[in-house]
Amino acid sequence: MRLGGRLAAAIDVLDDISHKNRPAADALKDWGKAHRFAGAGDRAAIGNIVYDALRRRRSAAWLMDDEASRSIAIGALCLEQGMDGATINAAVEGDQFAPPALSQRELDALATRRLVDAPDADRADCPDLFLEEVQSGFADDWVDELAALAARPPLDLRVNTLAASRDKVLARLQREDAVATALASEGIRIPPVEGSGRHPNVQADQAFEDGWFEVQDEGSQIVAELAGAAPGMQVLDYCAGAGGKTLALSAMMENTGQIFAHDAEKHRLSPIHERLRRAGARNVQAAVGEASLEPLRGMMDLVLVDAPCTGSGTWRRRPDAKWRLNERQLAIRTREQFEILRKACNYVRPGGRMVYITCSVFPEENQRQIEAFLAENPEFAANDSESLWQERFGETTHKVRLDANGIVLSPARTGTDGFFLSVMTRAGG
């Protein structure tokens, strides 16, 4: 397919997403099934336009002076792939599968508008509904932080030290321009794709099947390291889900001690068994439902609460979720988080730690949750954030946001997805 056909397909997919309020991945999958002639390269290029348009929806619409799917797709080509109106018109000319050429009005908008002149919320590509939250969380840096959250993401991997070393995996992935991550001790980064390219399918590599690495954002790796799991510990991963952080903890504990990987729903834990097998993690026991944890009350050295959240910190990877999120969903999540903290704290031994993590950048899900929890549970106290960071990552505190109750990672400062972490210690012991 030529650019014109790819652009037309992206516009169709964006219309589908908009009209049916459905996830982008589902819409792209259905388009691919209905157009089997499109090769992998075509599907990747179409996906890039769609995801770029969703990440940059407000800035692309401002640039084009229009919010239609056609406009944000064209705007995304200009913003992310450096095209201009003349280039796009040359590409669609003579292509029967292409959308109509740019009108004079569209060409004039592209010629006269510069993103630097756009309103802050448009440059930040942030829904109006959550402006107050992000401004509260990022203060004067909120535009830069949200703009970074609208950029193309890298592909990050975590080396499984139970099976391989970082040098070994870097050598294996040398052809993919893989480099060591800036902060995570066992992380590897493959840069964001450019133009119509795509990330390598690293999970098809034999090294992945052999358990050498897992796909995991560097931010997720960093908060797992800050949790402080060590060999011989008794650990409860209270919201383990598919087990990404469980696997990281297992490697940090060198396959010793015991990790109880818990989730309230059995189906969410299902993927963990194959992942544990592949990683060679032998110190993990799956546990479903609260009743299975009763013998662990007051016994755990570390309780990890990777809480369900809005996922606002992952908007660069799931940009469609940014525009589907509403206040009701945020309210539901915050209630769930507080109830989970109330339950999970019962398993921490005196002198033990509870670690609260979200992949959100909203203070409502982060600092305010910790404030409310500590007010209700005076036997817990938040660990000093600066000391916690420096013990693991040295004099790099400028890369994160620190306050009395936690640490915030972000795309602009840390170069990762958005994450929040708070470590709390229970009195006694």
Side-chain angles (χ1 to χ4, degrees):
M1 296 173 68
R2 294 163 56 187
L3 175 61
R6 291 172 171 180
L7 177 58
I11 293 169
D12 287 344
V13 173
L14 288 165
D15 277 337
D16 185 23
I17 293 168
S18 175
H19 295 157
K20 297 179 182 178
N21 195 30
R22 65 197 303 237
D26 292 350
L28 283 163
K29 182 178 180 181
D30 287 350
W31 186 92
K33 287 180 178 178
H35 301 80
R36 295 188 181 278
F37 62 83
D42 293 321
R43 294 195 301 273
I46 293 163
N48 284 345
I49 298 172
V50 168
Y51 277 99
D52 287 343
L54 292 169
R55 291 186 191 101
R56 309 295 302 274
R57 194 172 96 174
R58 286 193 71 157
S59 53
W62 186 89
L63 194 69
M64 295 291 293
D65 196 23
D66 184 73
E67 297 179 352
S69 297
R70 168 188 166 90
S71 296
I72 63 172
I74 293 170
L77 285 175
C78 298
L79 290 170
E80 288 293 342
Q81 300 193 34
M83 297 185 186
D84 58 22
T87 302
I88 295 171
N89 270 352
V92 303
E93 185 178 0
D95 186 347
Q96 63 177 319
F97 301 108
L102 273 65
S103 67
Q104 191 58 52
R105 186 198 66 79
E106 291 173 322
L107 291 169
D108 289 345
L110 287 176
T112 58
R113 289 187 160 223
R114 296 291 178 269
L115 195 57
V116 68
D117 300 321
D120 286 347
D122 292 322
R123 289 191 292 117
D125 281 288
C126 182
D128 285 335
L129 196 58
F130 300 107
L131 281 175
E132 187 175 337
E133 269 293 297
V134 298
Q135 288 168 349
S136 173
F138 290 130
D140 293 342
D141 296 334
W142 73 273
V143 175
D144 290 339
E145 287 286 7
L146 269 291
L149 203 51
R152 289 184 177 185
L155 174 62
D156 290 345
L157 314 175
R158 179 187 57 80
V159 175
N160 174 26
T161 53
L162 299 176
S165 68
R166 182 154 67 173
D167 286 345
K168 187 175 182 179
V169 179
L170 281 170
R172 176 80 181 201
L173 300 177
Q174 186 177 16
R175 65 187 182 279
E176 313 297 355
D177 296 325
V179 297
T181 47
L183 291 169
S185 61
E186 301 300 339
I188 288 175
R189 171 160 291 184
I190 296 172
V193 298
E194 297 182 358
S196 60
R198 54 179 169 161
H199 276 133
N201 183 11
V202 293
Q203 290 174 308
D205 195 294
Q206 186 60 42
F208 175 78
E209 182 56 37
D210 292 341
W212 288 13
F213 61 84
E214 290 283 337
V215 176
Q216 186 176 21
D217 181 76
E218 185 184 8
S220 181
Q221 298 179 49
I222 290 170
V223 293
E225 288 191 49
L226 290 169
M233 277 188 171
Q234 296 293 303
V235 175
L236 170 60
D237 188 351
Y238 188 78
C239 303
K245 293 184 179 65
T246 302
L247 292 168
L249 297 178
S250 177
M252 290 172 65
M253 294 165 64
E254 300 173 4
N255 245 342
T256 66
Q258 183 70 55
I259 302 174
F260 298 90
H262 166 268
D263 206 285
E265 301 291 338
K266 185 176 182 179
H267 71 90
R268 287 201 290 258
L269 270 176
S270 295
I272 199 173
H273 302 288
E274 172 59 23
R275 298 180 77 183
L276 292 171
R277 180 205 64 76
R278 189 174 62 245
R282 300 184 301 274
N283 62 339
V284 179
Q285 178 178 324
V288 178
E290 208 73 27
S292 67
L293 301 180
E294 191 60 30
L296 308 183
R297 281 181 171 267
M299 302 292 290
M300 295 293 100
D301 300 309
L302 171 64
V303 174
L304 186 79
V305 178
D306 188 9
C309 67
T310 59
S312 57
T314 66
W315 279 349
R316 59 183 183 168
R317 300 183 190 279
R318 301 178 182 90
D320 49 325
K322 171 165 56 173
W323 309 109
R324 294 200 311 272
L325 185 63
N326 58 51
E327 289 178 310
R328 179 177 174 273
Q329 292 168 325
L330 175 57
I332 289 171
R333 285 302 186 215
T334 54
R335 286 197 298 271
E336 287 177 343
Q337 291 155 2
F338 195 72
E339 287 305 310
I340 287 170
L341 281 169
R342 275 179 164 169
K343 292 177 181 178
C345 70
N346 293 313
Y347 302 102
V348 183
R349 68 165 176 81
R353 297 194 309 277
M354 182 165 70
V355 179
Y356 177 77
I357 296 169
T358 74
C359 53
S360 172
V361 295
F362 293 164
E364 187 71 21
E365 299 184 272
N366 298 336
Q367 293 92 336
R368 291 171 202 156
Q369 287 286 23
I370 300 305
E371 290 169 6
F373 174 79
L374 294 176
E376 189 178 272
N377 298 272
E379 71 274 24
F380 281 86
N383 289 28
D384 179 71
S385 298
E386 185 171 0
S387 299
L388 182 69
W389 181 266
Q390 289 179 337
E391 285 171 11
R392 180 68 63 170
F393 299 111
E395 298 300 323
T396 59
T397 52
H398 62 284
K399 290 183 175 290
V400 291
R401 295 173 187 276
L402 308 172
D403 64 28
N405 290 329
I407 299 172
V408 176
L409 314 183
S410 65
R413 285 208 185 181
T414 326
T416 67
D417 285 353
F419 278 90
F420 174 80
L421 169 136
S422 179
V423 178
M424 295 164 280
T425 300
R426 188 170 197 165

